[in-house]
Amino acid sequence: MAAQPRTDEDRRESILEATWQLIAERGFHAVRVSDIARVCGTSTGTVHYYFPGKNDVLTEALKYCVDQAFMRQSIELRGITSAHERLLKLIDMQLPRMGRVRDEWSIWLQYWAEAVIRPEFRPAHNEYYARWQETVVRTVRRGQSQGVFRTDVDPENAARRLTALTDGAAIQVLTGAPGMTTTVMRELLVDFVARELAAPAARRPADCPEPA
């Protein structure tokens, strides 16, 4: 049984942490409120107090994942001044390797599936997704001002294409598509940056190897 959180906010975060991990591992429709309560060492009534319905749980789990991911990005990108290097770092942080990032991708995929048939899920999705696209837009613009990215590229169009490529490759990795691995996914994304964004002087071989 999990240790009891000390404050109201701690209790809410404890429930969210348990919830998103359960959904990532078992699937949204397989997780019951009683499962969440058992993992948190609390009652179903307490879970319902914070999240009245199961839809609220999924929406808040996605928001929690997005917030945690952006917090990690902020920490990881701190001190990286080159926009080219920042974008490559962002790519590395999106790779669905085993662990937390892969679980976060699982939440995204399940939320997408629900949003296809349930329009009420779409506003929250679009808000969170716009944050990710805007991060890429800002990075491309910074690279253009630094002279490492081509100035004839529309940053918003580039962001839409790169995020769409990221999503498609990640889905293939997560669903076990033949020939698609995180290594192949990274190669595709790095190649996009090199071919579509990088100014000639920024196309250095050192940017491309798979990190250790």
Side-chain angles (χ1 to χ4, degrees):
M1 181 178 293
Q4 290 296 319
R6 291 174 296 178
T7 68
D8 194 62
E9 184 58 33
D10 287 343
R11 186 176 295 108
R12 183 179 186 278
E13 184 168 339
S14 175
I15 292 172
L16 273 178
E17 182 70 22
T19 299
W20 85 263
Q21 290 185 355
L22 284 171
I23 294 173
E25 294 169 4
R26 303 183 188 179
F28 173 59
H29 293 288
V31 175
R32 301 170 300 179
V33 173
S34 58
D35 297 326
I36 299 170
R38 183 166 55 255
V39 170
C40 294
T42 189
S43 67
T44 57
T46 299
V47 176
H48 282 303
Y49 171 77
Y50 294 98
F51 310 105
K54 200 172 177 183
N55 291 351
D56 301 302
V57 175
L58 181 56
T59 299
E60 290 300 313
L62 176 66
K63 183 179 185 298
Y64 183 77
C65 287
V66 171
D67 289 341
Q68 293 293 310
F70 271 86
M71 189 180 304
R72 287 200 310 275
Q73 285 180 14
S74 178
I75 294 172
E76 292 288 339
L77 297 178
R78 194 174 298 160
I80 303 178
T81 57
S82 166
H84 196 176
E85 294 179 8
R86 286 174 73 91
L87 193 53
L88 294 177
K89 183 64 176 178
L90 280 170
I91 287 172
D92 285 336
M93 294 177 68
Q94 297 300 314
L95 300 177
R97 299 185 177 99
M98 295 302 296
R100 191 177 185 93
V101 176
R102 190 180 183 93
D103 289 344
E104 289 172 350
W105 271 107
S106 175
I107 295 290
W108 268 111
L109 265 63
Q110 293 179 65
Y111 201 91
W112 285 339
E114 293 297 312
V116 169
I117 57 177
R118 307 181 70 170
E120 65 269 24
F121 278 54
R122 297 172 191 173
H125 166 271
N126 293 337
E127 176 187 347
Y128 306 148
Y129 200 82
R131 292 175 63 182
W132 160 229
Q133 287 190 324
E134 182 58 28
T135 298
V136 179
V137 169
R138 290 198 306 268
T139 305
V140 173
R141 285 178 176 156
R142 171 186 280 197
Q144 289 175 327
S145 67
Q146 292 177 343
V148 295
F149 290 154
R150 292 164 44 191
T151 57
D152 61 337
V153 170
D154 176 16
E156 293 187 359
N157 180 264
R160 282 192 294 269
R161 294 168 64 197
L162 180 58
T163 53
L165 182 60
T166 302
D167 294 341
I171 289 171
Q172 291 183 53
V173 171
L174 291 167
T175 56
M180 179 57 72
T181 64
T182 55
T183 298
V184 174
M185 175 179 171
R186 184 180 188 276
E187 290 172 352
L188 288 173
L189 299 177
V190 170
D191 183 67
F192 176 90
V193 173
R195 292 177 181 273
E196 305 294 332
L197 292 175
R203 296 173 184 168
R204 304 186 304 272
D207 288 329
C208 300
E210 172 75 13

